[in-house]
Amino acid sequence: MTNGIDDILAPLDPVDPRATAGYRLLARLGEGGMGTVYLSHTRGGQPVTFKVIRREYGQDPDFRRRFEQEVRAARRVGNCFLIGRSRLVISG
């Protein structure tokens, strides 16, 4: 049994995007009610996470506001359970 990052990484599914906002997505970290979280790296090699929200939520202003609050809260938390930085990209 190992307790490293490889334990939480999953390969991309065939329906997963391969890139978003100019970042190549490397693995799935998880999926929930809001969307799917992916691992990528910055150009400098630092890990970064992306949460790609479900399409049906993209046009809902209330949801977008709550999601922006979630990202701000995640950026304030600094601990060993976060991978790099989270990036907020809202499109569509």
Side-chain angles (χ1 to χ4, degrees):
M1 181 175 162
T2 62
N3 290 320
I5 188 149
D6 291 332
D7 293 335
I8 61 171
L9 297 178
L12 296 176
D13 287 341
V15 297
D16 286 329
R18 296 304 187 245
T20 188
Y23 288 82
R24 187 172 142 249
L25 301 178
L26 304 172
R28 289 176 137 238
L29 295 174
E31 184 173 7
M34 285 201 282
T36 305
V37 180
Y38 298 97
L39 173 67
S40 185
H41 287 97
T42 66
R43 288 183 189 95
Q46 296 298 312
V48 62
T49 58
F50 282 87
K51 180 182 276 187
V52 177
I53 61 170
R54 298 186 188 284
R55 186 175 306 274
E56 61 265 25
Y57 296 135
Q59 298 301 318
D60 180 342
D62 289 331
F63 174 82
R64 290 168 71 124
R65 187 171 43 259
R66 288 191 311 270
F67 186 63
E68 289 171 2
Q69 290 172 342
E70 177 186 312
V71 170
R72 283 193 298 274
R75 287 179 176 157
R76 286 192 299 267
V77 175
N79 66 40
C80 63
F81 299 108
L82 291 179
I83 298 172
R85 300 273 305 183
S86 295
R87 177 164 169 111
L88 174 62
V89 177
I90 298 178
S91 63

